[in-house]
Amino acid sequence: MNSVRSDALEPTAKELAGASLREKAMRLMPVYGLPLLMLALILLFSILLPDTFPTMLNLRSIIADKAIIALLSLAAMIPMVSGKIDLTVGYGIVLWHILAISLQVNYGVSWPVAVLVVVVISAFVGLLNGMLVEIARIDSFIATLGTGTVLYALALWHTGGEQVVGVLPRGFLALNATRIAHLPITGFYVLALAFVLWFVLEHLPIGRYLYAIGANPKSAALNGIPVQRYTIGAFVASGLLTGVAGVLLASKLRIGQASVGLEYLLPALVGAFLGSTTIKPGRVNVWGTIVGVAILAVGIAGIQQFGGSFWVEPMFNGVTLLIAIGIAGYAQRRRGAAKLRPKSAQS
């Protein structure tokens, strides 16, 4: 059972060739609408908030705040390519950031070994998720919700509801605190990872296989694609990326606490879902996901600078998710109607 379909809806050059200017605009709007909206928001907030919004300080703040969400969105995106969903990106980061600190503070493990242990365990949890979905045949939403809840319970048990605090090595803190060209290094992590994922998904066979599985797993299997192996691999990659995000969160916060992490789940999923409505509408894709996270970051930053209350961010995330789903559904209906027109004309 597919939890998420992966089926591109972007118009082809042939489809646009005989279209009027209005029809071309309507067909291209789902492709470039969100990037244009993001630029419009940046321009609007820059005009309305000239002293605070168009500044290097604000840019650094946005990157520092949203880089981890961007990593989690990319982690959630990978199983979505194969038509599945992974909710452990929000639950897992709770345990992983606690474990990264606890291994160093409570057990005297060096920070490189602690990072390696966290990443390996998180990849193993991804493997477990993949096996639950593909071998035990449990729907991915249910399977990862169950796994994620167990991880959260382990985080609560490990901390006993208290903070994990201690002196952390400079090398570990530098993973998040370093700046390149006056910008947080975490933004460069996101760009590098996005480029790698884009290249893999768009230019290597593994990417075509995953998209084929997401579009129609039965047809993919009939064409000789090892569906089970690639789907499990997608969950492993998602788990590994979540572990990396947990390490960076630990380096950023410098304390471990079970009350931190779950708030990343909704914006991470919103970024991935929103990404499926742009660049390649109807198909989850890397640059669409980056645009999705960016528009969330810009919108929330601008609203908060206007004096928005603490509830603004979850409200904005929830409304944006509903809009993203609505746009995706609208694009799908238009594509379906376009396919039916020639048949109706022939009859």
Side-chain angles (χ1 to χ4, degrees):
M1 178 180 178
N2 263 22
S3 300
V4 180
R5 281 187 61 82
S6 179
D7 192 10
L9 299 171
E10 68 271 19
T12 63
K14 183 179 179 182
E15 290 173 332
L16 295 175
S20 65
L21 185 61
R22 180 179 177 277
E23 289 175 335
K24 287 180 180 179
M26 291 297 291
R27 291 304 307 277
L28 290 174
M29 184 56 69
V31 181
Y32 301 110
L34 281 184
L36 291 175
L37 176 60
M38 182 184 69
L39 293 176
L41 284 175
I42 292 173
L43 180 61
L44 175 64
F45 289 134
S46 297
I47 293 172
L48 297 178
L49 300 163
D51 296 328
T52 57
F53 194 85
T55 63
M56 181 62 73
L57 178 62
N58 186 47
L59 178 61
R60 284 199 296 263
S61 176
I62 289 175
I63 294 174
D65 287 343
K66 304 305 178 184
I68 291 173
I69 291 176
L71 288 174
L72 291 179
S73 290
L74 292 172
M77 181 208 70
I78 300 173
M80 285 184 185
V81 173
S82 64
K84 309 298 181 183
I85 192 166
D86 186 0
L87 297 181
T88 55
V89 296
Y91 293 94
I93 194 172
V94 180
L95 180 59
W96 306 142
H97 93 276
I98 290 172
L99 189 59
I101 294 176
S102 181
L103 286 172
Q104 299 175 73
V105 171
N106 296 336
Y107 301 101
V109 176
S110 65
W111 75 262
V113 174
V115 169
L116 180 61
V117 169
V118 169
V119 171
V120 169
I121 295 176
S122 62
F124 176 78
V125 170
L127 175 64
L128 176 61
N129 283 332
M131 293 174 67
L132 288 174
V133 171
E134 285 298 310
I135 297 177
R137 309 304 297 174
I138 303 173
D139 180 74
S140 60
F141 185 94
I142 302 299
T144 57
L145 178 61
T147 305
T149 305
V150 169
L151 294 177
Y152 182 58
L154 288 173
L156 290 171
W157 167 77
H158 181 70
T159 61
E162 299 178 353
Q163 294 181 342
V164 180
V165 184
V167 179
L168 296 169
R170 283 187 179 180
F172 182 73
L173 299 179
L175 293 176
N176 177 81
T178 303
R179 289 183 181 178
I180 299 177
H182 304 291
L183 295 175
I185 193 173
T186 48
F188 294 94
Y189 295 154
V190 172
L191 285 178
L193 177 64
F195 181 81
V196 171
L197 285 177
W198 166 79
F199 184 79
V200 170
L201 292 175
E202 299 293 338
H203 296 282
L204 294 183
I206 184 174
R208 292 193 290 271
Y209 293 161
L210 286 173
Y211 276 122
I213 293 168
N216 193 322
K218 292 183 179 179
S219 296
L222 290 174
N223 280 281
I225 298 174
V227 173
Q228 192 174 88
R229 185 194 312 166
Y230 280 103
T231 303
I232 292 175
F235 277 103
V236 172
S238 177
L240 189 149
L241 252 179
T242 303
V244 171
V247 168
L248 292 178
L249 180 62
S251 178
K252 176 183 178 181
L253 298 179
R254 306 185 181 193
I255 61 172
Q257 51 185 347
S259 61
V260 173
L262 281 179
E263 70 270 18
Y264 290 106
L265 177 58
L266 180 59
L269 293 178
V270 170
F273 275 114
L274 198 59
S276 70
T277 69
T278 188
I279 310 298
K280 293 180 178 291
R283 173 199 286 179
V284 286
N285 64 92
V286 173
W287 299 120
T289 299
I290 296 298
V291 170
V293 174
I295 201 169
L296 289 176
V298 169
I300 291 170
I303 292 171
Q304 287 180 339
Q305 288 181 30
F306 269 116
S309 300
F310 64 91
W311 50 265
V312 167
E313 184 166 353
M315 175 68 78
F316 188 86
N317 288 333
V319 171
T320 305
L321 177 60
L322 293 175
I323 293 173
I325 294 173
I327 293 173
Y330 175 73
Q332 185 114 25
R333 289 193 299 273
R334 285 190 61 84
R335 182 58 176 264
K339 286 183 176 180
L340 289 174
R341 278 193 208 109
K343 296 181 181 179
S344 301
Q346 290 174 5
S347 58

